[in-house]
Structure formats: C-alpha cells, structure tokens
Amino acid sequence: MKIKAISSLILITYISPAFSATDIQFWHGLSGQAAEVIGDLTKEFNKSQNEYKVTAIRKGNYQETMIAGIAAYRSKKQPDIIQIYEVGTATMINAKGATIPISKLMTDNKIEFDTKDIILPVRSYYSSGDQLLSFPFNSSAPIMYYNKNLFKKAGLDVNNPPKTWDELFLYAEKIKKSNPKKCGFTTTWPAWIQLENFSAWHNVSYASQSNGMEGNSPTLKFNSQTHIKHWENIQKAYKEGYFTYFGRTTEAELSFTTEKCGIILDSTGSYGKVKEANIDFAVSQLPYYDKVTGAPQNTIIGGASLWVFNGISKEKQAGAAKFILFLSRPEIMSKWHQLSGYLPVTQTSFDHSKKQGFYEKNPGFTVAISELTNKAPSENSKGLRIIGLPNIRNIVEANFESMLSEKMTAQKALDDAVEKGNDIIKKAGR
C-alpha cells in the first residue's frame, strides 16, 4: 500500500503542470466556418505547449463582442484577448490605458516579433507611429462574387465580369430578365462597402483629416455628388427590381450561396462559406465609375484585430503574447487564410501559400490583395479612424433603408447621416 501511495504521489507530481496551465480567455465575434477554424487553431496552440490554455468564446457578432468587452473592462472582469472589428479601432485607441500595445507586450515578454512582416496597408492602420497597437488577425476587403451558371443563362461571358458600375447594373438587369425569380445583384455590409470602401476606391473623401487618420476631430464629407449619384443608382436598381436588399450585415450571403442572386459584393471573409456551398462561382475586383478621376484607387481593410487588455496578470500577458506569436507563424496564418478567406496579413504567410501553389489553384484569393495594393494609399484611402463610427454606421444603414423605401432621397439620406454623424463626433470629443 505504501509503495502504491508513493507511486500515486509521483504520478500527481509528474502531471501537475498540465493542471496548472494559465487560462487565457479569448472573446471573438466570428461565426460559421471562421469560428470553427479559430476553434481548431486554438486547440492546436493548446496542444503545442502546456503552460497556457486558451479558451475561445464567441460573444455574439462584432458589435456585441465589443459592447461586452467594454462592459467587462469597466467591471474589471475583462477577458485577456478580445477581437474588435475595425470600426471600433478609434474607440479602443481613445480608451487610454485599457489595452497593452502589441509591440510593448512582445518586448515586455522578450519575444521577437517582426511587425514589418505585416503588409503595409494593414500595419499602418493598426499602428501609432512604429508601435503596433493590435494584431490584425482577420483582415478582409470587399470583392465581387458572381455565379457562373446564372451568367450563362443570362447570356453573359463568365470570363468577362463587370468592371464598372455601369456594366454591373447592365449585367444585373440581364440576370433579372433571364429569370424574374432571381435577383441581379445584392450587397452585404452596405455602410462598409457602399460608402466607406466606395469612397476609398473612388479616391473621394469620407471625412476630413484623412478620414480621421491624422486628427481626432474629423468632419464627415460623404455627401459629395459622387456619393449621391451612386446611391441614386442603387435606389433606381432597387425600384426596377435588379438590386435586392437583404440586411445590414451578412444576411445577403445566403442568397448567393443558394444561387438566388447572380452577383454579390461581399467580404473576402465569406470566401470559405461560398466555397463550402459548392456552387460554380468566381470573384473579381469591385466595380468603379470610370468617369471619376483617379478611380479605382485602393480599398480599405475590414475585419478585426486582436487587442490585449490591461489589468491582467503577468502570466496571462505572457500567454497572450505567445498565442499571438503562434497565430502569426507563416504556416498558421496561411492555414487561416486558405480556410477562411481572410487576408494573409504577413508577407511570409503570403509567400508560404504561394510556395504551396495555393494561388495557382485558387486565383481568386489574390483579388483582395491586388485591390488593397492597387495604388499607394491616398489621404482618402488609408482607412477610417473615427470615434463613434459604429453609431455612425447605424445611422448610415438606417438611412440607406429609408432611401430604398423612398422615405428619403439619396441626397437627404446622406446629408442627414453626415449631420447626425458630425454631432456624434463632436459629443465624443467633449
């Protein structure tokens, strides 16, 4: 009995490190295949070492995750790592002391982390000077997906997708006429794609101070004649039936994956879902108005980044740093990119996928990268860093819907959103 007891004691002592692993709470707003992939990557990290155990928890959509994180921080029950969508970046930056910059986190934990490996448009957006503030884990850009079967039935050339908005409206009308039960085109995220990225892609200002990137008191300017004309065209397409609206976020995706719509403007982050639907599709660059000087310029990133909260223990900080280092490894970032459709945000992960021959088999994956790097970013296309942007988006989306239902003209919808949005910025600056 004594020998057995000693053996048990030795066994307990031997396996004790597994039970003392530091728990790292990671809140995110992903769903579907992307959530499954991040769950798998988290398990892979946990198996790779025994000091830390990361628990990935979905807290709802992006906005719900951000709201939950802010509330948790105020009650001192914050997670260790939180995923915040890109429109929340200015809010996180202005919450002084709430988070630990990634550059500092890595230095404090003596971890070599090459921030210059992150591609420039993405690194610039999430940095202050040379300091990386958050890790751009799932960056995305809007692209155009089109259904080859519906193109063929409408007599359209599948190898010649629409390049301009005039062509897109014409193609959508033909798809609708070929089968009245189908929709010509649709869009997800209208505020992000049809206003924020529309502005950058056409090199027109969304707001002053380089869209808030070079100041904290920008004035919204997204009611120019270029913006108004575009919204009027969408309103006309909706009225005539070849544009269909499904909702403010990803509601329209189902219409494309079930072959109801011929064309959808959507995030690269949806690529995994579309591919999983097993439909015959292709992707192409966003359309543009060829009469707008300078178009197409470059798109701006969407998606989200990972922030590490302040106020957590040194052990948790070390665990968060090692988890982020793990996610940034070329083979891990490549896997994430290939399975989810999100961008390979580091040059080494892009090179890794290229070496694997991934882009030869999946040429559509380079479309978003070519959009982001189409031209050197201008003051209108570096990105948006405007405090209160989530609330401004809500107003834009509400007014977009009012325009479609003809309660507002396009000009009234945009003028009203600019006026109310500027009030939000002024109040936030007090």
Side-chain angles (χ1 to χ4, degrees):
M1 287 294 289
K2 185 179 276 187
I3 292 174
K4 187 177 180 181
I6 291 172
S7 299
S8 298
L9 181 62
I10 292 172
L11 180 62
I12 291 169
T13 303
Y14 177 74
I15 65 175
S16 62
F19 291 100
S20 60
T22 301
D23 184 51
I24 307 295
Q25 294 285 306
F26 167 34
W27 289 7
H28 67 82
L30 297 171
S31 60
Q33 184 172 344
E36 290 177 15
V37 178
I38 189 60
D40 290 343
L41 293 180
T42 300
K43 289 176 186 173
E44 191 173 335
F45 171 75
N46 290 339
K47 285 181 182 176
S48 70
Q49 46 74 53
N50 58 13
E51 288 182 89
Y52 309 100
K53 181 186 176 187
V54 174
T55 304
I57 302 170
R58 183 175 188 269
K59 297 298 287 186
N61 59 29
Y62 281 153
Q63 191 164 17
E64 290 164 343
T65 301
M66 181 171 168
I67 291 170
I70 292 171
Y73 180 75
R74 286 173 178 165
S75 61
K76 298 183 178 179
K77 295 179 180 177
Q78 68 271 35
D80 307 301
I81 304 172
I82 187 167
Q83 181 193 43
I84 298 292
Y85 63 163
E86 92 287 355
V87 296
T89 302
T91 300
M92 298 301 285
I93 291 173
N94 280 280
K96 303 291 184 189
T99 61
I100 306 170
I102 298 302
S103 294
K104 183 178 185 304
L105 180 77
M106 296 303 182
T107 301
D108 289 350
N109 288 282
K110 298 180 174 53
I111 291 176
E112 287 189 20
F113 189 75
D114 184 11
T115 58
K116 290 184 178 176
D117 188 32
I118 301 171
I119 58 175
L120 183 58
V122 179
R123 186 174 80 237
S124 300
Y125 185 73
Y126 290 111
S127 295
S128 176
D130 292 333
Q131 192 170 57
L132 185 69
L133 303 175
S134 59
F135 177 62
F137 175 59
N138 61 307
S139 291
S140 61
I143 56 176
M144 178 170 65
Y145 298 75
Y146 61 96
N147 184 300
K148 291 183 178 179
N149 287 330
L150 295 183
F151 262 44
K152 289 174 186 171
K153 288 176 182 174
L156 300 170
D157 182 356
V158 297
N159 297 312
N160 188 27
K163 293 181 177 61
T164 67
W165 271 106
D166 290 339
E167 289 175 350
L168 184 142
F169 289 127
L170 184 63
Y171 279 42
E173 193 172 4
K174 287 186 175 180
I175 292 168
K176 184 70 179 176
K177 284 181 177 175
S178 69
N179 185 344
K181 292 182 179 177
K182 302 293 182 182
C183 88
F185 86 101
T186 187
T187 186
T188 57
W189 306 102
W192 179 54
I193 297 176
Q194 304 302 338
L195 198 56
E196 295 165 19
N197 262 289
F198 176 85
S199 302
W201 194 230
H202 289 82
N203 198 22
V204 291
S205 179
Y206 182 93
S208 64
Q209 298 179 344
S210 295
N211 296 334
M213 296 291 288
E214 296 176 4
N216 56 13
S217 55
T219 300
L220 300 176
K221 299 172 72 175
F222 54 71
N223 56 344
S224 72
Q225 283 305 306
T226 302
H227 294 105
I228 292 167
K229 185 62 182 171
H230 177 53
W231 278 37
E232 283 176 346
N233 288 338
I234 291 179
Q235 185 185 43
K236 177 175 179 285
Y238 180 77
K239 191 175 180 181
E240 296 183 0
Y242 51 92
F243 167 69
T244 305
Y245 177 68
F246 292 94
R248 299 181 180 186
T249 60
T250 60
E251 296 87 345
E253 285 172 0
L254 185 63
S255 71
F256 189 76
T257 56
T258 56
E259 300 196 274
K260 183 177 181 181
C261 284
I263 301 170
I264 185 171
L265 305 186
D266 195 4
S267 165
T268 52
S270 299
Y271 197 96
K273 288 182 192 173
V274 176
K275 198 171 180 182
E276 199 174 40
N278 200 27
I279 60 175
D280 193 10
F281 76 101
V283 299
S284 186
Q285 287 195 344
L286 292 179
Y288 62 96
Y289 290 101
D290 54 0
K291 292 179 181 174
V292 176
T293 305
Q297 170 59 40
N298 66 281
T299 54
I300 53 178
I301 59 168
S305 64
L306 306 187
W307 298 75
V308 176
F309 269 117
N310 223 330
I312 61 175
S313 69
K314 294 291 184 186
E315 291 77 15
K316 284 176 174 284
Q317 289 182 29
K322 289 187 177 177
F323 182 56
I324 289 170
L325 180 67
F326 169 83
L327 294 176
S328 73
R329 284 165 43 186
E331 66 275 21
I332 300 299
M333 182 59 72
S334 292
K335 185 187 294 185
W336 168 242
H337 160 57
Q338 293 176 19
L339 292 174
S340 70
Y342 283 105
L343 297 170
V345 297
T346 61
Q347 185 62 47
T348 50
S349 64
F350 176 76
D351 292 342
H352 186 84
S353 289
K354 193 174 179 181
K355 194 179 289 183
Q356 291 177 316
F358 178 72
Y359 299 120
E360 291 175 8
K361 297 174 184 172
N362 302 276
F365 272 74
T366 60
V367 170
I369 299 169
S370 66
E371 284 182 342
L372 272 174
T373 57
N374 186 50
K375 291 178 184 173
S378 72
E379 64 175 12
N380 298 322
S381 65
K382 292 178 182 173
L384 304 178
R385 195 176 285 174
I386 299 171
I387 193 165
L389 191 56
N391 292 331
I392 294 169
R393 264 194 182 180
N394 289 338
I395 294 167
V396 167
E397 288 159 350
N399 285 10
F400 184 79
E401 291 168 353
S402 293
M403 177 195 73
L404 293 179
S405 60
E406 297 190 74
K407 293 176 184 172
M408 286 181 170
T409 63
Q411 176 152 10
K412 176 63 180 173
L414 290 167
D415 286 348
D416 181 72
V418 163
E419 184 180 347
K420 290 176 178 172
N422 282 330
D423 285 344
I424 289 172
I425 295 169
K426 285 178 186 173
K427 287 175 183 173
R430 284 176 182 169

